[in-house]
Amino acid sequence: MTSVDHDPTATIPGPPLPVLNGPWSARVARAEGADLDVVHGWMQSPHIDAFWHQAWPRERWYEEIAGHLAGDAILPVLVDLDGEPFAYIEVYRVIRDRLAGQYAELPHDLGVHIAIGDAARTGQGLGRRLLRALAEGLLAADPECVRVVAEPDVTNAPSLRAFEAAGFRPCGEVVFPDKTAALLVHPRSEEDLPK
């Protein structure tokens, strides 16, 4: 037997692309060209950098996205609203993330990081609509997943309100070296909330 035989996470697939319906659409972000330009540009925006802290050079974003695409922990996704770029999403498997071990995760739990590109499109209820669609779309994409989680910074009040309005439930806090996060969970059913 190899060590992989003892690793219960080895058989868990990478994160799926969420199943979205109009007016939303999602696709895997590419590490070059227009996709890279969009993500890099958005990450320079003060409203995103305030919480992501990733206003990196274009080359570093190329490496970040290419690294995600080469692995099975994080899927970089671009979401369009009515055919126009709207948000950058990272869908991740909790068991392969720093969130693993911070709550009673299940092997198929999925997490999301979200950055709405244009600050002018925030505060209009679009974020909560997208978050609900993402949670439902990820549960549809992976029938074995019973909950979608998020861990926004506890000081990011607009994000917290949007997640809660989208059906994510507060389940405590998690302390990371760079932030204290609110653990928010969108369960498939009430019985699927972490105990």
Side-chain angles (χ1 to χ4, degrees):
M1 285 194 158
T2 66
S3 60
V4 172
D5 293 328
H6 300 297
D7 180 2
T9 69
T11 60
I12 305 299
L17 188 66
V19 177
L20 298 181
N21 298 310
W24 307 105
S25 61
R27 61 183 173 76
V28 176
R30 293 181 302 272
E32 66 276 323
D35 288 2
L36 179 58
D37 293 341
V38 165
V39 174
H40 169 254
W42 283 347
M43 290 298 161
Q44 310 309 304
S45 303
H47 76 287
I48 295 175
D49 185 51
F51 295 101
W52 279 64
H53 310 294
Q54 293 177 326
W56 300 332
R58 191 173 188 278
E59 299 74 29
R60 174 103 185 260
W61 266 106
Y62 166 81
E63 293 167 2
E64 182 82 355
I65 295 171
H68 292 333
L69 293 171
D72 64 356
I74 297 173
L75 183 68
V77 176
L78 282 171
V79 175
D80 287 357
L81 172 60
D82 293 321
E84 295 295 321
F86 181 77
Y88 173 68
I89 309 292
E90 291 177 344
V91 180
Y92 62 92
R93 280 287 181 203
V94 172
I95 57 171
R96 296 186 184 112
D97 187 77
R98 69 180 184 167
L99 188 55
Q102 301 292 324
Y103 74 100
E105 78 270 359
L106 297 173
H108 284 268
D109 282 4
L110 291 166
V112 292
H113 298 138
I114 179 171
I116 296 174
D118 183 355
R121 304 206 73 183
T122 63
Q124 302 173 19
L126 294 170
R128 69 185 62 176
R129 286 177 44 210
L130 174 56
L131 289 169
R132 184 174 298 278
L134 277 174
E136 292 169 357
L138 288 169
L139 293 172
D142 183 352
E144 294 190 57
C145 176
V146 296
R147 55 196 181 202
V148 178
V149 304
E151 22 76 34
D153 192 299
V154 294
T155 64
N156 190 345
S159 182
L160 297 174
R161 284 193 302 272
F163 274 106
E164 290 189 45
F168 284 76
R169 307 275 290 284
C171 291
E173 292 183 353
V174 177
V175 178
F176 293 119
D178 58 328
K179 71 176 181 180
T180 299
L183 177 64
L184 302 173
V185 179
H186 190 289
R188 192 179 290 275
S189 71
E190 288 299 307
E191 294 75 37
D192 297 316
L193 284 167
K195 305 294 185 252

